[in-house]
């Protein structure tokens, strides 16, 4: 299955270029959570194996998007590694109560799309649990379908939907905390 | 209220779309400024192995592609040539004759002396017969004698008789040549795939006919006692 999606010499050179360009970044992402060099290097390798299988999702015209995609995959692999090591207890997504993103609110005119609101959301996304952040990024930045995200992250389509919904709920919570929106 | 919620949801989506890329950028920029990690030799080897594996695979794919293309060109050339050759009568006949000649067993014979046959009876002794030929038919009556040797579709026919006076041979569309057999004058006639040598010794007329080549016929004739 390895290099299944690499069909031309151009593809191969593109993957090699991605590797040498972003391997240090991916290592840093992995090391931040794994605190182990060997495991972090394995995570980098796994990231590329996975990325190669999903090469068609990588935006060749936009290096930032390609980087973001690789980083998301790497985060997911690290989460998976931690779960296998028992360091990241698994919560059954189906049992979680996500609440309702669209609770009853007063007039949304109260909520202004301001720089402040965007900044609050930015910080909230940075601090989101990777479990929720990964599908959100793949959906919003890489414009992947639920089905594709499900395959990439190796979780059910239902779980993908619920995690995205949960991410949105958590972001909305931050807006409430900062009083950008009011119930 | 429901309407408000829908609008809020839309606004939230806009905010997320605005913020998500810059949030990730912000986060990754921090990581990018981290010090360079020196990857272990083992990791480098593993990655190199992955890249090399793919290099080989691509080379193999390229070779297969090239071979397929070459085969297609060869096939197209063969089909075109066949159409051209078979559409022109003269070329068609030439080609078919050439193919039929190829199928003749002549080329399979080994004419070297050490594996050649010989034949002897009370009337004649043939010191040389090409390898593989065996006596199939013998006819002796009065002053006429005939021996026929066969090997597959190939044949050698030797006739001897007493002739008084002249004889006529049909040489139309054939190639004739004066040769000598044991210092005796002889005539070699070649027509289609049939070669003949006529000669006489002491009023005995010999006719050696065969589908084999001239040199072999001469060799057989010179070996007749």
């Amino acid at each position: 299955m390895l290099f299944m999606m690499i069909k031309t010499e151009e593809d191969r050179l593109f993957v090699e270029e991605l590797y040498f360009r972003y391997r240090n970044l991916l290592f840093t992402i992995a090391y931040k959570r794994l605190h182990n060099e060997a495991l972090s290097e394995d995570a980098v390798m796994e990231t590329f194996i996975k990325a190669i299988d999903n090469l068609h999702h990588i935006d060749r015209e936009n290096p930032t998007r390609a980087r973001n995609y690789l980083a998301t995959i790497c985060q997911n692999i690290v989460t998976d590694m931690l779960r296998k090591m028992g360091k990241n207890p698994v919560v059954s997504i189906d049992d979680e109560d996500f609440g309702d993103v669209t609770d009853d609110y007063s007039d949304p005119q109260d909520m202004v799309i301001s720089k402040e609101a965007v900044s609050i959301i930015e910080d909230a996304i940075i601090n989101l649990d990777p479990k929720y952040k990964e599908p959100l990024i793949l959906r919003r930045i890489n414009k992947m379908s639920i089905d594709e995200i499900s395959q990439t992250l190796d979780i059910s389509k239902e779980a993908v939907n619920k995690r995205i919904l949960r991410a949105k709920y958590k972001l909305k919570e931050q807006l409430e905390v900062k009083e950008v929106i009011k119930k | 209220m429901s309407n408000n919620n829908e609008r809020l949801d839309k606004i939230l989506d806009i905010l997320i779309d605005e913020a998500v890329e810059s949030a990730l950028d912000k986060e990754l920029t921090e990581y990018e400024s981290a010090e360079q990690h020196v990857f272990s030799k083992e990791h480098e080897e593993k990655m190199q192995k992955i890249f090399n594996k793919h290099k080989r695979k691509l080379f193999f794919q390229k070779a297969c592609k090239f071979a397929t293309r070459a085969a297609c060109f060869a096939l197209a050339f063969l089909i075109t040539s066949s159409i051209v050759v078979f559409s022109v009568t003269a070329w068609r006949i030439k080609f078919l004759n050439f193919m039929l000649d190829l199928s003749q067993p002549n080329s399979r014979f080994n004419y070297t002396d050490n594996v050649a046959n010989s034949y002897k009876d009370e009337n004649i002794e043939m010191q040389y017969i090409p390898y593989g030929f065996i006596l199939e038919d013998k006819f002796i009556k009065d002053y006429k004698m005939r021996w026929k040797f066969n090997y597959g579709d190939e044949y050698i026919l030797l006739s001897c008789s007493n002739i008084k006076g002249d004889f006529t041979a049909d040489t139309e569309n054939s190639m004739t040549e004066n040769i000598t057999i044991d210092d005796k004058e002889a005539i070699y006639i070649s027509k289609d795939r049939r070669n003949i040598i006529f000669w006489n010794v002491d009023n005995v007329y010999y006719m050696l006919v065969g589908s084999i080549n001239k040199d072999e016929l001469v060799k057989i004739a010179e070996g007749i006692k």
Side-chain angles (χ1 to χ4, degrees):
Chain A
M1 294 300 281
L2 201 62
F3 283 109
M4 204 177 80
M5 301 306 290
I6 290 187
K7 288 172 182 162
T8 63
E9 183 65 13
E10 200 186 323
D11 286 349
R12 191 186 66 78
L13 290 173
F14 175 65
V15 171
E16 274 198 40
E17 193 197 325
L18 282 180
Y19 171 70
F20 288 111
R21 197 164 171 181
Y22 296 121
R23 65 177 183 170
N24 201 65
L25 169 75
L26 299 177
F27 176 84
T28 312
I29 291 170
Y31 189 75
K32 197 187 169 199
R33 292 171 66 198
L34 290 166
H35 306 291
N36 180 304
E37 286 197 356
L39 286 176
S40 303
E41 286 182 353
D42 283 351
V44 173
M45 193 174 74
E46 288 295 323
T47 302
F48 274 91
I49 291 173
K50 203 160 190 177
I52 284 158
D53 280 346
N54 293 284
L55 203 55
H56 56 293
H57 290 311
I58 299 180
D59 190 342
R60 296 183 189 213
E61 307 301 320
N62 190 334
T64 310
R65 283 205 173 160
R67 181 199 64 175
N68 294 349
Y69 178 79
L70 288 173
T72 309
I73 298 286
C74 185
Q75 289 276 22
N76 178 249
I77 283 165
V78 171
T79 304
D80 211 35
M81 286 169 102
L82 286 169
R83 183 177 55 80
K84 280 178 186 162
M85 288 188 294
K87 290 183 181 173
N88 203 16
V90 184
V91 180
S92 170
I93 199 90
D94 296 327
D95 298 336
E96 278 189 271
D97 177 17
F98 297 127
D100 185 1
V101 182
T102 54
D103 286 340
D104 289 344
Y105 287 92
S106 55
D107 191 345
Q109 293 300 329
D110 294 347
M111 182 180 160
V112 185
I113 303 173
S114 62
K115 274 189 182 177
E116 190 202 346
V118 173
S119 175
I120 290 166
I121 295 286
E122 256 182 35
D123 291 339
I125 289 172
I126 292 170
N127 294 315
L128 258 182
D129 185 333
K131 186 167 76 173
Y132 304 122
K133 191 159 49 173
E134 288 155 13
L136 183 76
I137 286 169
L138 292 177
R139 183 82 173 139
R140 298 296 178 128
I141 299 180
N142 295 84
K143 312 288 179 204
M144 285 167 73
S145 68
I146 299 296
D147 203 21
E148 288 168 337
I149 297 170
S150 153
Q151 282 172 24
T152 306
L153 300 183
D154 205 16
I155 53 175
S156 70
K157 280 188 258 184
E158 198 187 4
V160 173
N161 272 322
K162 285 187 174 177
R163 285 185 190 189
I164 291 173
L165 198 68
R166 180 69 174 163
K168 223 168 151 185
Y169 181 74
K170 283 189 173 283
L171 297 176
K172 191 201 72 183
E173 269 181 352
Q174 286 302 308
L175 290 174
E176 280 172 2
V177 170
K178 305 281 178 182
E179 294 185 336
V180 177
I181 52 171
K182 292 169 194 166
K183 274 200 180 183
Chain B
M1 273 303 182
S2 165
N3 199 27
N4 279 351
N5 288 343
E6 274 174 30
R7 289 171 67 189
L8 174 72
D9 201 39
K10 276 182 189 167
I11 291 171
L12 194 59
D13 278 340
I14 294 167
L15 280 173
I16 291 171
D17 284 339
E18 282 283 319
V20 70
E21 203 148 359
S22 54
L24 194 63
D25 268 349
K26 212 188 259 181
E27 191 181 2
L28 295 181
T29 308
E30 263 178 51
Y31 291 139
E32 274 177 334
S33 57
E35 64 177 274
Q36 289 288 311
H37 168 69
V38 180
F39 282 83
S40 67
K41 204 179 163 188
E42 197 189 355
H43 170 83
E44 297 284 21
E45 279 172 1
K46 276 182 191 170
M47 288 308 292
Q48 203 53 49
K49 216 173 170 182
I50 291 171
F51 292 133
N52 286 345
K53 189 177 177 181
H54 181 61
K55 241 182 202 173
R56 281 198 301 274
K57 199 178 167 188
L58 273 184
F59 175 78
F60 181 71
Q61 278 175 348
K62 232 177 189 177
C64 282
K65 211 172 171 183
F66 178 77
T68 313
R69 215 173 269 179
C72 286
F73 274 121
L75 190 67
F77 176 75
L78 199 68
I79 291 169
T80 314
S81 310
S82 303
I83 291 168
V84 170
V85 167
F86 281 90
S87 62
V88 179
T89 312
W91 289 356
R92 184 171 62 235
I93 291 168
K94 240 180 189 178
F95 175 76
L96 289 174
N97 282 340
F98 172 72
M99 293 308 286
L100 286 172
D101 280 347
L102 279 183
S103 68
Q104 293 308 317
N106 262 3
S107 55
R108 293 204 307 269
F109 298 152
N110 186 340
Y111 290 125
T112 52
D113 285 344
N114 57 345
V115 290
N117 293 336
S118 60
Y119 175 78
K120 188 178 179 181
D121 62 20
E122 63 274 17
N123 298 302
I124 200 157
E125 181 185 352
M126 295 173 77
Q127 291 176 338
Y128 174 73
I129 296 171
Y131 177 76
F133 282 87
I134 51 166
L135 183 69
E136 189 190 271
D137 185 33
K138 183 174 159 183
F139 171 84
I140 298 174
K141 194 177 177 187
D142 302 331
Y143 297 106
K144 280 188 178 175
M145 291 178 273
R146 194 175 67 220
W147 295 265
K148 190 179 180 190
F149 298 86
N150 270 23
Y151 180 29
D153 294 337
E154 302 295 315
Y155 68 96
I156 301 166
L157 182 71
L158 174 66
S159 302
C160 303
S161 62
N162 275 336
I163 289 182
K164 288 175 183 168
D166 298 328
F167 78 92
T168 307
D170 176 15
T171 57
E172 192 179 353
N173 292 329
S174 60
M175 191 273 286
T176 61
E177 186 185 344
N178 290 323
I179 58 169
T180 55
I181 300 294
D182 284 339
D183 298 330
K184 308 279 182 200
E185 282 183 7
I187 300 169
Y188 170 75
I189 301 171
S190 178
K191 186 176 181 181
D192 297 330
R193 292 190 59 254
R194 197 163 176 240
N195 301 319
I196 309 166
I197 298 178
F198 292 109
W199 78 104
N200 73 73
V201 180
D202 301 329
N203 289 330
V204 177
Y205 142 81
Y206 293 87
M207 182 176 79
L208 184 62
V209 185
S211 55
I212 57 174
N213 65 42
K214 178 189 166 187
D215 291 343
E216 288 301 310
L217 273 186
V218 169
K219 210 167 169 183
I220 296 166
E222 286 178 338
I224 293 171
K225 304 291 173 196

